[in-house]
Amino acid sequence: MNKHKVKVGIICGTGLGDPQNQIVKCQTVTTQEEAKNDFGLPSSDLYHGNINNVDVVMLSRHGPGHKTSPTAVNYRANIEALRLAGCTHILASTACGSLQEYIVKGQLVIPDSFLDRTIKRSTTFYDGVSSKYPGVCHMPMEPAFDPSTSEILFEVGKELGYTIQKGGIIVTIEGPRFSSKAESNLLRSWGGHLVNMTICPEVYLAKEAGLLYAAVALATDYDCWKDCKDKVHPADVVIVFKQNVVKIKETFVKAIKIIGERNWDKEIDELQELCRSCNVSSS
Ligand code: ADE
């Protein structure tokens, strides 16, 4: 008997749009709810459903109609809503620029680390806003993404026949503007593989909240570092994402089945113990 019942939160990024019409197309959505919490309103309603006999809760990162900018996304409310809904895991999708020649448009990457270049976002739950998060928490960021969940996403993507890279450094910029050529080259010189606008602070808030978080990144463009005509434009990002979105959906659906078949008690207990021990004010 498992101590923790698996429930998977799905954060639908750019191009995955409204969770009701996308991921769950042929699956059941049982309820939809507004999930205001101590950190405010999440970007969208939560859609509770079931995929491959696993309970899931979906939300749209940028809200219905993609109206919320990367800076304005209430990342804390989103993660807290999924935690309060009983999620043990989060699978997130993100459109990215490729910072490496060999990561081609339409390719998937399962990131394993990040460079955080955001400047205007709430970066912790532990700032006195909620009595549920008392004190100060210094969370280690290695591993930044849950390795076991990331491994499942990678193996599934490979089995489905997609070009997919295991591991990669994802740089999150503040946006909403894209990087200058000088910035893009700087991110490359730092070893970045991908650039996006949303994985931070989402990934580390999920860890602070004790949730096993992994992401599938889809390369939609070469940002602007390459000496070619092909410079990033939002319309092209959406087109390339739409052309390849099936890869993310299929990877998620198959991964959710595998996640549901496993016992995660050890991973969940270890992460929750880490959260407790990293709260320097709790002892
Ligand atoms: N999302 C998709 N492409 C991007 C890029 N080049 N920079 C930042 N975010 C992105």
Side-chain angles (χ1 to χ4, degrees):
M1 181 57 182
N2 299 347
K3 177 172 153 196
H4 298 283
K5 182 167 164 45
V6 166
K7 193 183 265 195
V8 179
I10 303 172
I11 299 182
C12 303
T14 300
L16 220 57
D18 181 347
Q20 194 157 25
N21 301 326
Q22 299 291 332
I23 288 281
V24 281
K25 232 197 230 125
C26 344
Q27 319 261 346
T28 354
V29 172
T30 45
T31 51
Q32 177 184 347
E33 66 162 329
E34 192 188 86
K36 196 167 182 200
N37 55 63
D38 289 358
F39 298 95
L41 260 185
S43 315
S44 79
D45 288 348
L46 298 188
Y47 295 82
H48 296 260
N50 192 280
I51 294 178
N52 282 328
N53 286 326
V54 181
D55 289 338
V56 297
V57 185
M58 289 158 287
L59 79 77
S60 164
R61 187 186 286 125
H62 296 281
H66 201 290
K67 295 213 173 69
T68 313
S69 83
T71 300
V73 169
N74 192 339
Y75 297 92
R76 294 197 300 182
N78 288 353
I79 298 292
E80 180 68 351
L82 295 177
R83 186 183 76 81
L84 292 172
C87 292
T88 50
H89 295 68
I90 294 179
L91 303 182
S93 74
T94 178
C96 294
S98 168
L99 296 172
Q100 302 295 333
E101 183 96 54
Y102 69 88
I103 300 177
V104 297
K105 287 187 203 178
Q107 180 175 333
L108 304 180
V109 177
I110 309 300
D112 65 352
S113 196
F114 64 79
L115 284 165
D116 187 3
R117 296 273 297 157
T118 65
I119 49 173
K120 292 188 198 165
R121 305 179 187 188
S122 297
T123 56
T124 179
F125 286 111
Y126 292 87
D127 67 350
V129 163
S130 169
S131 58
K132 292 187 192 122
Y133 294 90
V136 179
C137 180
H138 296 293
M139 183 59 81
M141 278 298 120
E142 178 53 33
F145 295 79
D146 178 58
S148 308
T149 312
S150 298
E151 179 74 26
I152 291 173
L153 289 175
F154 171 70
E155 288 300 330
V156 164
K158 212 171 57 173
E159 270 166 38
L160 288 166
Y162 303 140
T163 308
I164 184 163
Q165 173 169 311
K166 182 178 179 172
I169 299 170
I170 186 162
V171 187
T172 305
I173 58 169
E174 185 59 52
R177 69 168 177 85
F178 291 109
S179 306
S180 69
K181 191 165 185 175
E183 288 167 334
S184 196
N185 277 315
L186 178 69
L187 306 182
R188 274 164 55 71
S189 77
W190 285 347
H193 295 97
L194 299 165
V195 54
N196 87 333
M197 298 184 192
T198 51
I199 280 292
C200 296
E202 199 172 89
V203 56
Y204 50 80
L205 289 172
K207 193 166 181 184
E208 255 193 18
L211 303 182
L212 302 170
Y213 179 102
V216 176
L218 173 69
T220 53
D221 57 272
Y222 276 112
D223 203 31
C224 66
W225 57 270
K226 273 183 92 175
D227 276 323
C228 63
K229 285 187 230 131
D230 197 13
K231 302 199 178 27
V232 60
H233 186 284
D236 299 330
V237 169
V238 173
I239 289 169
V240 176
F241 200 90
K242 282 198 174 140
Q243 284 165 348
N244 292 280
V245 72
V246 65
K247 297 177 184 171
I248 297 188
K249 287 191 215 171
E250 289 193 350
T251 304
F252 277 1
V253 168
K254 209 164 167 200
I256 286 166
K257 183 168 189 292
I258 295 170
I259 291 169
E261 285 163 358
R262 261 193 56 174
N263 179 325
W264 292 86
D265 290 349
K266 183 170 170 290
E267 284 85 352
I268 294 167
D269 286 344
E270 278 176 8
L271 180 54
Q272 290 182 354
E273 178 47 33
L274 183 69
C275 294
R276 271 188 292 277
S277 66
C278 290
N279 188 334
V280 291
S281 324
S282 64
S283 46

